[in-house]
Amino acid sequence: MILSGNQPYFIPYIGYWQLINNADVFIICDDYNYIKGGWINRNRILNGTEPIYCNLSLDKASQNKLINETFIKEMDFEKQLRGIECSYRKSPNFEEGYRLMKEIFSCQNNNLADFLANSIQLIADYLDMNTKFVKSSSLEGNALLKREFRIYDFCERLGADTYVNAIGGMELYNFEEFKSRGLELQFLKTRDITYKQFDNAFVENLSILDVIMFNSKDEVKRMLGEFDLVKG
């Protein structure tokens, strides 16, 4: 059984969804520390020819708080939707992308972790993913462990024999240490993915929203397979 996990991000780039789609179970790491300036409450979308940030405004966010201890301020989501419409209304799959964001912004739960978990599930459902989601906070005692020991515990409790991490974690984890615990460690590396963004020069690594706006569901699902696995 393949396990992956990450902190919940706001409408993250396609590599995040490749990690989810490749896994049988994906851990939403909601009881990890909030990371200021990261991707937990923001992502980039296209505005004309330039990327801009789409943000969730937070109430007294701090790196000393956990993600599930952080809350979203009252926001004008209609204004956010108008901005998305202005950016993408001429894109070929605008109706689907806009509907999806409207559903995401309709969430009444202002707990950041719960809001993001809901958005992740909605996008996974749109892309017909069968991955099971588990919040790390639901595994009692796991938060007392550190770094890779949390992952070992995830795998043991959930019955995984393979753990797949994003390629950026190669400096954090060791193949042999995982192997000594009966686990195969792999890293997922996204291939170069390009698609037409109006008639502009391509802007890479934008939110999954950008991918959905410019591509049919079948095309996005094909892109989910555009990766390589690095094995020890």
Side-chain angles (χ1 to χ4, degrees):
M1 189 264 275
I2 298 173
L3 181 74
S4 289
N6 211 329
Q7 291 94 335
Y9 292 162
F10 179 52
I11 52 174
Y13 86 122
I14 195 166
Y16 190 100
W17 303 98
Q18 291 176 329
L19 202 63
I20 291 175
N21 193 55
N22 180 67
D24 298 299
V25 178
F26 186 87
I27 302 288
I28 295 176
C29 300
D30 64 325
D31 59 353
Y32 284 57
N33 284 79
Y34 170 76
I35 302 171
K36 188 176 181 179
W39 301 106
I40 293 173
N41 64 301
R42 66 176 188 168
N43 222 293
R44 302 189 312 154
I45 62 173
L46 193 65
N47 184 41
T49 61
E50 299 295 329
I52 60 171
Y53 284 104
C54 182
N55 300 281
L56 297 173
S57 298
L58 304 182
D59 184 19
K60 299 177 182 177
S62 168
Q63 296 190 156
N64 296 319
K65 291 182 180 179
L66 304 180
I67 300 169
N68 62 9
E69 295 173 337
T70 305
F71 290 85
I72 301 170
K73 288 182 180 178
E74 186 173 341
M75 291 182 61
D76 185 352
F77 286 130
E78 289 299 322
K79 182 178 179 180
Q80 292 273 43
L81 287 169
R82 288 195 296 272
I84 289 170
E85 181 178 8
C86 183
S87 293
Y88 288 109
R89 61 189 170 199
K90 294 183 179 180
S91 63
N93 202 34
F94 170 73
E95 294 297 332
E96 286 294 288
Y98 185 84
R99 178 198 61 76
L100 189 57
M101 288 306 300
K102 189 172 184 179
E103 193 171 0
I104 287 170
F105 286 145
S106 295
C107 179
Q108 298 299 306
N109 194 331
N110 72 334
N111 180 278
L112 178 61
D114 291 341
F115 183 95
L116 293 174
N118 181 69
S119 70
I120 289 168
Q121 185 68 68
L122 288 172
I123 295 172
D125 289 345
Y126 170 73
L127 294 173
D128 300 323
M129 296 183 183
N130 296 316
T131 307
K132 178 183 177 182
F133 293 102
V134 175
K135 289 183 179 178
S136 57
S137 61
S138 70
L139 301 174
E140 187 176 353
N142 179 271
L144 299 175
L145 304 172
K146 301 295 183 182
R147 283 186 45 171
E148 63 266 33
F149 293 96
R150 296 195 74 173
I151 296 173
Y152 301 152
D153 186 58
F154 292 148
C155 292
E156 181 177 353
R157 293 201 203 193
L158 298 171
D161 54 18
T162 302
Y163 183 77
V164 181
N165 200 83
I167 194 68
M170 282 197 74
E171 295 181 359
L172 298 176
Y173 306 126
N174 182 277
F175 289 111
E176 294 304 318
E177 288 181 5
F178 272 73
K179 190 178 296 184
S180 71
R181 292 175 177 267
L183 298 170
E184 181 176 2
L185 175 63
Q186 301 176 0
F187 293 93
L188 187 148
K189 182 178 181 181
T190 303
R191 296 173 189 160
D192 290 336
I193 293 175
T194 62
Y195 47 89
K196 186 177 180 181
Q197 296 167 324
F198 302 123
D199 291 320
N200 306 326
F202 182 71
V203 180
E204 63 181 0
N205 293 330
L206 298 183
S207 162
I208 189 66
L209 176 62
D210 190 81
V211 183
I212 290 171
M213 286 292 192
F214 287 109
N215 298 278
S216 69
K217 181 192 290 191
D218 285 343
E219 288 170 329
V220 179
K221 289 167 69 174
R222 177 189 59 77
M223 292 177 192
L224 292 175
E226 292 294 312
F227 65 84
D228 297 297
L229 291 173
V230 179
K231 304 179 182 181

